[in-house]
Amino acid sequence: MQILDGLKLSKQIKQEIKESVDQLITAGKRVPHLAAVLVGENGASQTYVNSKIKDCEQVGFRSSLLRLPETTSQEELLAVIEKLNNQADLDGFIVQLPLPKHIDQEMIINAIDPKKDVDGFHPENFGKMALDMESFIPATPFGIMKLLERNEIETKGKHAVIIGRSRIVGKPMSILLARKGNPGDCTVTLVHSSTINIEEFTKKADIVVTALGVPHFLKGDMVKEGAVIIDVGITRVEDTDSPKGYKIAGDVDFESVQEKASWITPVPGGVGPMTRAMLLENTLLAYQRNN
């Protein structure tokens, strides 16, 4: 069993991005600029956005944070997005999800200029990804594909099972692993909360990507010997021994699954750091495409 170390690879990718930024500075050009819009006081969202700002500082990006109160109306948020769409020195921006319940998330995503949609959530980017056209790939699936590619994990002809059908992970992963190229060329099965006997599928899988959000769902007896296991799950589980009162758990029962896996991502330290690195990668791509 080998660890798919997302923390280590993300640091390597960030260093590569920093070197690209250093070259821009040497050439007297402006550096890439990423903005984040945060509506409300969601603790997890604030932590995540702060991490993104820190990432920008590490690679030399310019970053902006727009904090809006929980009471911000949909019209006010749309006006902010329109302003960011038209800001010439801004390469990409994200609107941190989830949004307050009175705001239509779909309308907000659709309002973002696809050329600045570095989260890769806009329908135009999703559609182009599905058609193998140039687009922004959602950061988590992008990170998983980089993990497979950089660790030289063979995917051609393999059977991949994706657990979960979200637009952020499950659906794009099923498309990316099935498309031509490396990594890719998989036969893909997408299972979800309504699938009967999920283990019948996972036991036959060469690659399992789980993004269900159920702690320790995937057990050792549900996977075959030598399978590659990608754990996207991240759930806070009560832990009285922890100073925080909780610990972070993935979808995979690591102790039992690692006995069979050829490769496995840890939680934390696996997919999470790669997601953040790929947001930077998408921002650099936006800069290059729009300049």
Side-chain angles (χ1 to χ4, degrees), residues 6-272:
L7 190 58
K8 181 180 177 181
L9 180 55
S10 68
K11 288 178 180 177
Q12 182 182 330
I13 289 171
K14 285 195 283 188
Q15 179 58 35
E16 292 167 5
I17 293 171
K18 185 180 185 302
E19 288 169 6
S20 295
V21 174
D22 289 343
Q23 289 174 7
L24 292 171
I25 294 170
T26 301
K29 298 180 179 179
R30 75 169 181 86
V31 299
H33 182 188
L34 172 67
V37 181
L38 180 61
V39 185
E41 302 294 329
N42 182 293
S45 291
Q46 288 191 56
T47 300
Y48 192 47
V49 167
N50 289 337
S51 297
K52 290 171 181 174
I53 292 171
K54 189 176 178 181
D55 290 338
C56 285
E57 291 172 354
Q58 288 175 350
V59 300
F61 282 8
R62 179 184 167 196
S63 66
S64 301
L65 173 58
L66 287 78
R67 290 182 179 272
L68 304 175
E70 186 86 19
T71 53
T72 300
S73 70
Q74 184 165 290
E75 290 69 27
E76 289 170 330
L77 181 54
L78 287 169
V80 168
I81 290 170
E82 182 65 19
K83 186 176 179 181
L84 295 175
N85 283 341
N86 294 317
Q87 186 173 332
D89 68 343
L90 181 66
D91 301 292
F93 68 95
I94 63 160
V95 178
Q96 185 63 37
L97 305 178
L99 291 167
K101 291 181 180 178
H102 65 276
I103 296 177
D104 184 340
Q105 180 174 300
E106 294 303 317
M107 185 173 285
I108 298 305
I109 290 171
N110 286 335
I112 297 171
D113 182 346
K115 293 185 179 66
K116 295 188 176 185
D117 169 42
V118 288
D119 257 338
F121 293 163
H122 193 283
E124 182 177 315
N125 279 318
F126 195 99
K128 284 184 173 181
M129 177 193 68
L131 293 170
D132 240 351
M133 299 168 67
E134 184 179 89
S135 67
F136 293 114
I137 298 171
T140 298
F142 195 6
I144 293 169
M145 296 298 278
K146 282 287 184 185
L147 272 173
L148 294 170
E149 177 189 351
R150 293 290 188 99
N151 286 282
E152 299 181 348
I153 294 173
E154 183 60 63
T155 58
K156 187 175 183 179
K158 303 297 184 182
H159 180 203
V161 170
I162 316 295
I163 308 176
R165 52 185 166 183
S166 75
R167 65 189 291 174
I168 296 173
V169 182
K171 287 178 182 175
M173 276 312 306
S174 68
I175 292 167
L176 292 168
L177 284 174
R179 72 182 185 179
K180 289 182 180 180
N182 178 41
D185 284 320
C186 289
T187 299
V188 178
T189 302
L190 181 66
V191 301
H192 43 76
S193 55
S194 296
T195 301
I196 298 169
N197 296 329
I198 283 178
E199 61 271 20
E200 288 187 11
F201 299 94
T202 57
K203 283 178 180 177
K204 299 174 183 175
D206 302 302
I207 301 167
V208 179
V209 180
T210 174
L212 200 59
V214 179
H216 310 304
F217 172 81
L218 191 73
K219 310 289 187 187
D221 60 3
M222 295 172 67
V223 301
K224 75 176 188 179
E225 198 74 39
V228 176
I229 309 296
I230 310 288
D231 189 352
V232 187
I234 181 163
T235 307
R236 289 186 179 185
V237 177
E238 185 178 342
D239 182 6
T240 53
D241 294 330
S242 170
K244 295 179 180 179
Y246 68 87
K247 64 180 179 181
I248 300 298
D251 288 357
V252 175
D253 183 44
F254 191 90
E255 294 305 315
S256 64
V257 174
Q258 70 170 334
E259 300 298 324
K260 286 182 157 181
S262 58
W263 292 87
I264 188 170
T265 58
V267 175
V271 174

